Amino acid sequence: MLFWLSGLAVALLTGVAVSAYLWWIRRRNDEIAAGLHALSGLRWREFSRLVLSALERRGMVVVAAAPDETRDPRGIFPLTRDGQRWLLSCKHGSAYRIGAAPVEELAANVRLGNATGGILATEGQLEQEGRVAAQGHNIEVLDGPRLWAELAPLVETDLREQIVGQAAARAKRHIAIGWLGSITLGALMATTLANSGFGAADSTATIAPPPQKPAAASASADVVAYREPTEAELQEQRLAVSRALSGTPGVVRGVWQTRLTLSVDYQGDETAIWPRICQQVELYPALRTVRVQLNPPAGSKEPVRWRQCKTI
């Protein structure tokens, strides 16, 4: 029975390691990614107000009114703290890759405005050249995970709970798959040791182990079933959805604002058009939880809405 104990030890160790990674690291990363995706779906004015509110929690005070929706998103917000002047620049959109140019632009405004320093906020990512430029000009960059940590307490409670719940559900599902794989690995190791004669001195080692191949095959099939498409495959799927929506009754057009935000212009009754949109989106499992921005016809009093066809 020594080989069965070895297989059990391998299964337990592997299962615990995979579970720890998925829960403490992957779940957190998924939560951050979903949070940034939700922020990218906001209008620029809503996003900038959240950032200003977060900075006010630091003790900063806005000394100029926030711009309206028509203002250029590259606008600068003057702030003060302890008698010192700071400038805030918001780069809205998760697709942003911040290089040296936006940082240098903000640094120039800091110098011209006799400010102490600047803050650049974006849901995107600061590249290495931008990081070097920021360090040389007293520019603080709130990008990606750092930005979500600042804004998460200010996001609507329902939305924040949805983001956390979806990340936890995804982690639990993957943990279950991980345990199936761990059990399969342990069974295969035990079978291999038994066939190699390991532990033959143990009189019980000659007892044939219960059949494990069906469970292994089932677990492997489950793992394959959850394979996520590559970025190239996702791009093809997004293009296919846009093409299909262009010919859907009631839909004017469907374009992707970001990788996870589908903007749909429609005409007519939203309740009748929404199932047609979901019918196209749900053809691709990886896109079923994307955020859909519903834009009413021009001149309509209906507000812009954000919905999801499926939740995790």
Side-chain angles (χ1 to χ4, degrees):
M1 294 298 292
L2 184 58
F3 50 84
W4 287 113
L5 293 176
S6 299
L8 177 61
V10 169
L12 289 175
L13 290 174
T14 305
V16 170
V18 170
S19 299
Y21 166 76
L22 291 173
W23 186 255
W24 296 110
I25 298 178
R26 182 67 179 274
R27 176 181 61 88
R28 178 59 178 167
N29 291 341
D30 286 346
E31 181 181 327
I32 292 173
L36 294 174
H37 165 58
L39 292 176
S40 68
L42 299 176
R43 294 184 178 182
W44 179 78
R45 185 175 67 173
E46 296 170 335
F47 171 72
S48 61
R49 282 179 176 173
L50 276 179
V51 176
L52 288 170
S53 298
L55 295 179
E56 287 176 349
R57 288 160 59 96
R58 293 187 179 185
M60 291 186 166
V61 178
V62 181
V63 297
D68 58 26
E69 291 184 41
T70 63
R71 179 165 178 173
D72 186 346
R74 293 174 294 181
I76 302 297
F77 297 91
L79 305 163
T80 60
R81 181 176 61 187
D82 299 330
Q84 295 180 330
R85 179 180 172 86
W86 292 78
L87 298 180
L88 167 68
S89 176
C90 295
K91 300 296 183 182
H92 183 37
S94 59
Y96 264 112
R97 291 296 182 268
I98 304 299
V103 177
E104 294 288 353
E105 178 185 357
L106 178 57
N109 281 280
V110 169
R111 289 193 299 271
L112 293 174
N114 295 321
T116 301
I119 301 172
L120 194 153
T122 178
E123 306 102 309
Q125 180 179 354
L126 179 66
E127 296 182 342
Q128 182 60 31
E129 59 178 307
R131 197 175 304 277
V132 172
Q135 292 174 349
H137 294 292
N138 194 26
I139 302 296
E140 179 184 1
V141 178
L142 298 177
D143 65 333
R146 290 192 62 199
L147 179 71
W148 176 244
E150 293 272 356
L151 302 190
L154 303 175
V155 174
E156 294 181 0
T157 302
D158 291 344
L159 178 58
R160 186 169 64 251
E161 290 179 350
Q162 179 184 8
I163 291 171
V164 173
Q166 289 180 353
R170 180 184 179 89
K172 290 176 181 177
R173 188 177 72 241
H174 287 181
I175 286 173
I177 297 173
W179 274 105
L180 284 174
S182 299
I183 293 171
T184 300
L185 178 62
L188 289 174
M189 182 174 182
T191 302
T192 301
L193 292 175
N195 293 336
S196 66
F198 180 78
D202 188 342
S203 60
T204 60
T206 58
I207 299 177
Q212 295 293 328
K213 290 184 179 180
S218 175
S220 299
D222 288 339
V223 173
V224 172
Y226 284 101
R227 184 187 73 82
E228 295 184 358
T230 64
E231 183 57 34
E233 292 171 337
L234 283 173
Q235 180 65 16
E236 288 295 328
Q237 293 175 8
R238 288 191 286 266
L239 290 174
V241 170
S242 294
R243 288 193 295 266
L245 288 178
S246 66
T248 299
V251 176
V252 178
R253 64 170 184 166
V255 296
W256 292 88
Q257 288 186 340
T258 68
R259 292 184 301 174
L260 297 175
T261 302
L262 174 61
S263 177
V264 177
D265 298 339
Y266 70 90
Q267 291 182 339
D269 184 7
E270 177 190 337
T271 58
I273 298 171
W274 176 245
R276 303 170 190 166
I277 297 173
C278 289
Q279 182 180 9
Q280 300 300 330
V281 173
E282 291 175 0
L283 292 175
Y284 307 98
L287 301 180
R288 290 179 178 178
T289 58
V290 298
R291 182 171 176 149
V292 180
Q293 178 180 323
L294 296 171
N295 305 313
S300 172
K301 296 183 179 180
E302 292 293 324
V304 175
R305 302 181 188 276
W306 288 269
R307 300 180 64 178
Q308 280 183 303
C309 294
K310 293 288 187 180
T311 56
I312 298 177

